[in-house]
Amino acid sequence: MSLGCSEDSEPTPDSGTAVDGGAVGDAGSDAGQATDDAGTGTVDAGADAGSDSDAGTEPADSGSDAGTDGGIGSIDGGTDAGPADDVVHVRRFMRYRTAAGITQVPEDFTKNPVELFVEDGDALVPVPGQAAGPGELAFPDVPHVTYYLKVGTEYVKTDVRSVDLSINKLGRPDIQALQYPSTAYLDLRGLDPWQEYRFDSSQGPLAETAWSQLQLLSEELGLNADMTPDYVQDGWEYAVGPVHLSIGSNPMPRFEEARGDRARVVQLSPQPLYSAPLPDGGIQEYVSAVRALHLPPFSHDGTQELPVAGTLEPLSMQEFPLDWKVSAFAAHVAEVNPAAVLRGPYFDLYPAAYGLADGWFGYSGFLLDLSRPFGLGTDVSGTLVYGNPYPADWGLVARASVPFAVRVRADNNGEIFRMATSMTVSRRVTPGDTRPFVPGILPPRELTLDGTEAYSSRHLSAGTHVLEWKPPPGAQADAYLVTLYRRDYGGPNGPTFVTAARLYTDGSATSIRLPEGLLQPTTLYFLTVQAYDVEGFSPERPLALRDAVDFSDAAALSGLLSTHPQPQ
C-alpha cells in the first residue's frame, strides 16, 4: 500500500487499487500517481509515493532495515574540498537485489544531479559541489546550519554532514524496458474455482463479495502485474485467451531465457471471515493466495503476446491471527483534518523478496488482502488463511492501513473530488507475534501554511511557502515526510492527483520550506505531513524511509490549495 494519498472524482465511487503508503512498495518514482484508497493492495504507492509510485509507495514505504553497504563513513571528500568540518558528503547508489546478492551501481550525476541549497531569507541559495568518487559528491563551504538536498522531485531537509541517498531496487541492474503494449495469452489449468468480480454502481466494489485474482510476478526483473481475464466465468477452473497486463512496476521488462528470467502466476481466491460480520448481516470476505505456477525460464521481447501456460498447483495454507483495533485509528479522524471522514480500512500480507536481512527491495505482489467497507470503524479479529508460493527464506510483512478523506469542490471549475491520506502500522511477521495492530504514532498537530491554519482550502501564490506543524502527542516522531500532490488532467485514466514532490526531514523538525518553482500557476494541490515512528531510522539515510518495514505513520491533511486566480 501506498505511503499516503488517494483520491477519486465525484460521482464515481472509490474503488480499485490502494498502494501505499507507504506500501510496502517502491515509493520511489519522482512523480508517482496517487491511487484510490479502498481496494486490493498493490504498489507504489508510493508514495510512492509513493514514489514511484510508488512507490511509493501507496511513499511506501521505507526501510529502517535497509542498510547501505560501504557506509557513509567511506566517503572521501578529497583534499581540495575545503576544511573537513565545512564539507557535506553525499553518497548515492542504486542497490539492486537478486538471488545472487546485492549489486551497487553508482548514480550518474550528469543525468540525475544532486543539488544542495542553504536558506537565505525566503530564498534557497545553491552551493556547488564536486565529484568525490563514483556515486559520491562533496559540497565544500557549507555553513553548519540546516540545508536542503534535491534529487529529482525529492528533497531532504537536514543538518547532518554525511548523507546517503541510496535506494533499493528489486531485480538486476541491466533490465531493458519494452516499448510495446503489455499483453499475454493465457492457457492456464488447475485454477481454484473462479469467482467473478462484482460491482455495485452506487457503492463500488462490494466489500462482502471478494473475487478471484491473478498476479504475474518476476523477482528477477522486479515485475508485478495483475491479469484480469474477464471472460472467465464463475466456477471455471481454466483460463484460455488474451489478457491485458496491468503493470504496477516500471514498464514491461524484456525476459531473457539465457539469463534465467522466470515469472510466477499466483491466484488469489475469496475466503470468509465469519468473526467480523458486516452491519447489514453480510459475511466479510478477503482474498488470499491459494494456487501458483512457477514458469520455467523464457524469452519475451514484446513483439508477440506473452505466453503464460501451465497448471497451477494448490498451496499449503497457513494461518495468521489478526487483532486489528480499527476503532483506535478511527478515533483520530479529526486530527487528520477537521473535515475528514473514515474511508475503507484494509489489511495486507506481502512477501519480502530474498528476506529482510538487507531491507525491503521492492513489491512482489501480495498474499492476502482484507478490505472493509467505507466508514466502518469496528475492530476486526479472527484467523486468516493464506498460501505462500515463495522460498522459506523470504520474509513476510503485515500492514494495516486506515485511510481518511476530505471531500472538496474546486472553485475554478466546480469539480468535486476527495483528497486522502492514512494511518498505517507495518511490521515483519514473526512466529508467535500476536500483538494487536494499534496506532504507533498520531498525526502532527496544528498544521499551518505561512502562519495560518492549513486545514481549510485556500488560494495562494505560486512562490515559496513555509509549512509548519507541532509534533504529535505521545510517541516522538523519528522522521516526517511532506508530500505535495498536484491535480493532473493529462493522464490516461482521467483527472487524478499525482505526486509533485516529496520532502523528507528528521523528527526534530517542525517546519519545511516549499522551494520556489514547486508550485505552478493555475494548478490545484494539497499536502500531507506524515509523522513516522521507524525502527532503526537514521537521519544519515533519509530515503530509507521509503523502504521501511517496521514502522507506524500518521498524517495530517491540508485543505485544497489553488494557484488559480481567486474568483471575484
Side-chain angles (χ1 to χ4, degrees), residues 482-513:
V482 176
T483 306
L484 177 68
Y485 295 99
R486 183 189 74 247
R487 191 69 171 165
D488 180 74
Y489 295 91
N493 298 318
T496 188
F497 278 100
V498 298
T499 303
R502 294 185 179 91
L503 302 95
Y504 302 78
T505 190
D506 65 54
S508 66
T510 56
S511 68
I512 203 161
R513 180 174 294 279

Side-chain angles (χ1 to χ4, degrees), residues 389-415:
Y390 297 100
D393 59 353
W394 281 34
L396 188 63
V397 176
R399 180 164 295 184
S401 294
V402 178
F404 306 93
V406 173
R407 185 174 181 267
V408 295
R409 179 191 296 271
D411 61 16
N412 63 298
N413 60 8
E415 183 183 14

Side-chain angles (χ1 to χ4, degrees), residues 227 299 411 528:
M227 302 185 292
S299 294
D411 61 16
T528 61

Side-chain angles (χ1 to χ4, degrees), residues 167-182:
I167 59 176
N168 294 342
K169 292 179 175 289
L170 182 61
R172 61 174 196 265
D174 57 350
I175 295 171
Q176 299 180 49
L178 301 179
Q179 304 301 317
Y180 302 96
S182 302

Side-chain angles (χ1 to χ4, degrees), residues 1 3 20-25 27 58-63 399 545-548:
M1 293 301 176
L3 284 172
D20 186 16
V24 177
E58 258 185 85
D61 298 314
S62 351
R399 180 164 295 184
L545 195 65
R546 63 202 284 165
D547 299 318

Side-chain angles (χ1 to χ4, degrees), residues 192-227:
D192 193 49
W194 195 260
Q195 296 189 47
E196 292 183 76
Y197 174 85
R198 289 171 174 81
F199 186 90
D200 185 317
S201 60
S202 65
Q203 301 180 49
L206 298 178
E208 64 269 27
T209 55
W211 54 88
S212 299
Q213 301 177 42
L214 286 173
Q215 300 175 339
L216 183 69
L217 308 153
S218 173
E219 59 263 30
E220 290 86 5
L221 299 174
L223 170 68
N224 64 83
D226 295 325
M227 302 185 292

Side-chain angles (χ1 to χ4, degrees), residues 310-520:
T311 301
L312 279 70
E313 298 294 335
L315 298 172
S316 175
M317 302 303 284
Q318 304 176 44
E319 294 185 344
F320 183 89
L322 177 62
D323 183 5
W324 183 14
K325 307 299 186 186
V326 180
S327 61
F329 295 83
H332 299 284
V333 58
E335 298 163 45
V336 174
N337 184 295
V341 296
L342 175 67
R343 301 298 286 161
Y346 51 90
F347 177 84
D348 297 278
L349 290 180
Y350 301 99
Y354 306 112
L356 290 166
D358 296 304
W360 174 268
F361 278 83
Y363 176 74
S364 301
F366 62 95
L367 300 177
L368 182 151
D369 174 78
L370 186 158
S371 296
R372 297 287 275 173
F374 298 151
L376 185 57
T378 56
D379 298 343
V380 179
S381 63
T383 300
L384 309 177
V385 296
Y386 66 96
N388 188 346
Y390 297 100
D393 59 353
W394 281 34
L396 188 63
V397 176
R399 180 164 295 184
S401 294
V402 178
F404 306 93
V406 173
R407 185 174 181 267
V408 295
R409 179 191 296 271
D411 61 16
N412 63 298
N413 60 8
E415 183 183 14
I416 299 174
F417 45 79
R418 291 183 178 92
M419 310 177 303
T421 189
S422 65
M423 296 176 65
T424 299
V425 174
S426 173
R427 60 176 177 252
R428 68 193 65 205
V429 175
T430 56
D433 185 355
T434 59
R435 290 175 294 164
F437 285 85
V438 296
I441 198 166
L442 298 180
R445 299 173 296 143
E446 299 183 30
L447 194 64
T448 65
L449 189 62
D450 299 331
T452 59
E453 66 88 10
Y455 299 104
S456 303
S457 297
R458 68 165 75 180
H459 287 261
L460 73 169
S461 69
T464 181
H465 299 273
V466 176
L467 184 67
E468 296 182 271
W469 60 88
K470 288 188 177 179
Q476 173 66 40
D478 294 308
Y480 293 99
L481 172 61
V482 176
T483 306
L484 177 68
Y485 295 99
R486 183 189 74 247
R487 191 69 171 165
D488 180 74
Y489 295 91
N493 298 318
T496 188
F497 278 100
V498 298
T499 303
R502 294 185 179 91
L503 302 95
Y504 302 78
T505 190
D506 65 54
S508 66
T510 56
S511 68
I512 203 161
R513 180 174 294 279
L514 303 181
E516 184 80 32
L518 203 54
L519 299 179
Q520 299 298 311

